[in-house]
Amino acid sequence: MPKGDWHRVVSLYLPLWPTDRIRKRLGTDAPAPDRPLALVGREGRRRVVLSVDLAARRLGLRPGTPVAKAQALHPDLLIMDADPDGDRAGLERLSLWFQHRIAPIVAPDPPDGIVLDTTGADHLHGGEAVMLENMVSRLKEAGITARAAIADTWGAAHALARYGRERITLVPPGETAAAITDLPIEALRLPADIIDGLHGLGVSRIGPLAGMPRAPLTLRFGPDVARRLDQAFGRQAEAIVPVRLQAPVQVSRNFAEPISAAETIARYITKLVPPLCAGLEEREQGVRRLDLLLHRVDSRTEAVRVATAMPVRDVRRLTRLLCDRIETIDPGFGIERMVLTASLAEPILHRQGVSALIEEEEADVSDLIDTLANRVGTQALYRFAPVESDVPERAVCRVPALAPEDGRDWPDHWPRPTRLLPRPEPIQTMAVLPDHPPVFFIWRGIRRRIRCADGPERVFGEWWKGDAELTTVRDYFRVEDTSGETFWVYRTGDGEHGETGSQGWFLHGLFE
């Protein structure tokens, strides 16, 4: 993201959060997904439905419906008592989970949301679009329905997550006003009585409301309307107070006069890191994730996050990693406070050093790994590890660069190509007999005559993963053309029976 005054705020909307949480808490005792579930509580002296799941929504039930009416209309409706305190505690735990994995500034947005300031953190997750998709997908895998939006302000992201048309909404920097103009006024987080009063005036959209004179609106409805409009359009800052489970190792510095020069910021970083490392040493820990929060005089907060592959409390390394990110900081009119927090710390495991002259000391590349990961993103830096599978494309996975070895090794009973294509590419070829290698093949428009070959190596489908792989077969051949290049090709099927595959030929890898 180019340097500028844009802050990027993500709003996660969990429309079925109370019922999703109840189902997760009950585990195997949870009711079937197709059975409607309603959580009930009291509004004044009435007992009403407070939240419903997707099955109940399809029946037409909505929050606010009297319990007696809901039971009369739907006798099979499962009713349970609502737990607002548990919902709030669950949101806080979920916020901490995102804080450890996505960005340092995360807070609950009750009753059914989470807000994250991801400014400067999206590059660690492959960009904003990939980051949002991963967040929503991870929640879905956990049984939690979610919608997400990212914009320049909390108010805009909150509105788009709840009233936008898409499951994931990404508003480019500077285009927030155009994105929310056509949304209903309910998206502004205004009290119900103000919403009813504005509807009485014939105002139902944010755009016409924003164009009305402020003085009459304030006189009739109070300051809330103008404040929410200014927050949504970015004219008034709205602080996000990060959630904290326990007191991490943290140091801070207040300034009598605001600072803004990069050299000054770097100088104070060098003063904050040593006491932080001293605090980590007292706990016998090293930092895995370090957050630098810079509070500006205009109430905005800049955030810098660096991560390490292993627990570290080396003053020079942490200082350099933070200083490398200074160019991403927008000081605005000045920074009045700096807070350095070890948001994720782990015990440091001490290793036995070299004890003999003939032993070679193992090279420590963790410093290089940390430098590269914080420049290109942790997802862009990885190594390959073997997976127990005969299907070639499933026999490899990506793991963190310094992930510990698990003892598994690559199969050596048949040679494998040094370069495996992202996906097998079809080729045109001719084979004399089903169990013979091809005589030639045409790949990417080039005809290659085969001089020698080895095979076939028969690979069967993993039948336990799906019925489609019960009979699938691949016959792999290692072939060398007349120019000396070696390829890995295979035929889908055994060459005789149609149920084993399409009998088409593909090129899967190259030997170098």
Side-chain angles (χ1 to χ4, degrees):
M1 187 181 69
K3 185 177 179 180
D5 196 32
W6 308 116
H7 264 239
R8 303 299 284 165
V9 180
V10 173
S11 178
L12 282 173
Y13 172 43
L14 315 175
L16 306 178
W17 168 245
T19 54
D20 284 347
R21 189 185 69 83
I22 289 293
R23 289 184 182 275
K24 284 179 62 62
R25 189 186 70 184
L26 294 176
T28 56
D29 295 330
D34 57 346
R35 184 176 181 184
L37 170 64
L39 303 182
V40 303
R42 291 195 175 275
E43 286 187 356
R45 304 177 67 177
R46 296 193 312 157
R47 196 160 179 259
V48 299
V49 173
L50 297 182
S51 59
V52 295
D53 67 352
L54 187 59
R57 285 177 182 264
R58 290 171 178 165
L59 296 177
L61 286 177
R62 293 293 182 268
T65 305
V67 174
K69 179 180 178 181
Q71 289 179 312
L73 291 175
H74 307 286
D76 61 338
L77 178 66
L78 179 62
I79 291 179
M80 301 180 67
D81 290 330
D83 182 16
D85 293 337
D87 294 338
R88 172 72 190 215
L91 279 180
E92 291 182 353
R93 290 194 297 270
L94 195 57
S95 299
L96 285 167
W97 189 88
F98 279 110
Q99 188 180 62
H100 289 164
R101 290 162 176 81
I102 303 297
I105 304 179
V106 184
D109 189 9
D112 52 12
I114 294 174
V115 59
L116 308 88
D117 188 336
T118 59
T119 309
D122 60 283
H123 74 285
L124 297 172
H125 310 285
E128 291 181 342
V130 176
M131 178 180 66
L132 291 184
E133 183 62 41
N134 288 341
M135 291 165 67
V136 173
S137 298
R138 292 292 294 272
L139 288 171
K140 183 178 180 181
E141 292 173 1
I144 300 173
T145 305
R147 292 164 55 92
I150 184 167
D152 296 332
T153 66
W154 181 354
H158 183 281
L160 289 164
R162 287 154 177 78
Y163 294 90
R165 297 180 179 178
E166 304 295 333
R167 182 177 66 103
I168 295 177
T169 304
L170 195 154
V171 180
E175 300 183 14
T176 296
I180 65 174
T181 298
D182 197 44
L183 294 180
I185 57 176
E186 288 82 358
L188 288 175
R189 298 175 290 168
L190 292 169
D193 56 338
I194 295 181
I195 295 293
D196 293 339
L198 291 171
H199 279 302
L201 296 177
V203 180
S204 60
R205 299 288 168 181
I206 293 178
L209 178 62
M212 296 177 66
R214 292 293 181 89
L217 284 175
T218 303
L219 183 63
R220 180 164 183 174
F221 299 107
D224 285 346
V225 176
R227 178 170 60 89
R228 289 304 192 188
L229 284 171
D230 288 340
Q231 289 174 345
F233 285 97
R235 294 188 287 263
Q236 179 177 336
E238 187 174 8
I240 301 174
V241 181
V243 64
R244 295 291 184 199
L245 179 61
Q246 60 182 1
V249 178
Q250 184 179 88
V251 292
S252 62
R253 186 70 176 258
N254 296 321
F255 307 110
E257 295 291 336
I259 65 172
S260 59
E263 296 81 3
T264 308
I265 296 173
R267 184 169 71 252
Y268 283 105
I269 287 176
T270 61
K271 295 182 179 181
L272 289 175
V273 174
L276 181 93
C277 291
L280 289 169
E281 187 173 5
E282 292 178 1
R283 300 188 183 186
E284 298 184 351
Q285 292 181 328
V287 67
R288 286 292 309 277
R289 191 173 294 116
L290 192 60
D291 295 330
L292 177 64
L293 303 183
L294 305 104
H295 300 273
R296 305 189 332 187
V297 295
D298 59 357
S299 298
R300 288 186 180 272
T301 302
E302 291 286 310
V304 172
R305 166 168 284 186
V306 297
T308 60
M310 302 173 62
V312 173
R313 59 169 179 255
D314 185 343
V315 173
R316 293 182 59 185
R317 183 191 300 192
L318 296 177
T319 301
R320 189 185 71 252
L321 291 175
L322 288 169
C323 289
D324 286 346
R325 302 287 298 157
I326 288 179
E327 61 183 12
T328 66
I329 298 172
D330 177 17
F333 295 106
I335 297 168
E336 59 183 1
R337 187 167 186 257
M338 292 174 60
V339 180
L340 186 61
T341 306
S343 57
L344 179 59
E346 297 177 356
I348 289 184
L349 301 178
H350 299 284
R351 296 185 303 173
Q352 175 68 41
V354 175
S355 58
L357 295 177
I358 61 174
E359 294 184 28
E360 294 186 4
E361 186 174 0
E362 184 179 351
D364 183 9
V365 296
S366 61
D367 192 4
L368 174 62
I369 296 295
D370 293 343
T371 301
L372 294 176
N374 285 281
R375 289 181 181 177
V376 303
T378 54
Q379 290 188 340
L381 200 65
Y382 54 87
R383 66 178 178 85
F384 291 111
V387 177
E388 295 180 356
S389 176
D390 288 333
V391 181
E393 60 267 28
R394 299 175 186 167
V396 62
C397 67
R398 296 181 180 183
V399 298
L402 294 181
E405 298 288 346
D406 57 7
R408 289 179 294 184
D409 200 358
W410 304 98
D412 56 1
H413 54 283
W414 281 90
R416 289 291 182 262
T418 53
R419 178 188 169 196
L420 200 68
L421 298 181
R423 57 180 57 85
E425 298 185 11
I427 57 176
Q428 300 177 20
T429 185
M430 181 183 70
V432 179
L433 293 173
D435 58 347
H436 280 210
V439 179
F440 69 88
F441 68 90
I442 300 175
W443 177 52
R444 295 182 179 179
I446 300 177
R447 180 186 177 98
R448 301 176 183 272
R449 185 171 182 82
I450 294 175
R451 182 173 60 185
C452 57
D454 186 18
E457 174 194 358
R458 178 155 292 183
V459 175
F460 293 92
E462 297 178 338
W463 52 266
W464 58 91
K465 291 188 175 180
D467 295 340
E469 299 194 34
L470 285 172
T471 58
T472 56
V473 170
R474 292 181 187 178
D475 282 341
Y476 279 88
F477 293 88
R478 183 183 182 189
V479 299
E480 181 180 330
D481 67 2
T482 53
S483 65
E485 294 185 82
T486 308
F487 305 88
W488 207 38
V489 301
Y490 73 86
R491 179 188 58 234
T492 57
D494 58 5
E496 299 181 86
H497 304 92
E499 66 273 12
T500 61
S502 65
Q503 315 303 324
W505 285 85
F506 296 84
L507 191 145
H508 203 168
L510 295 87
F511 292 87
E512 296 178 355

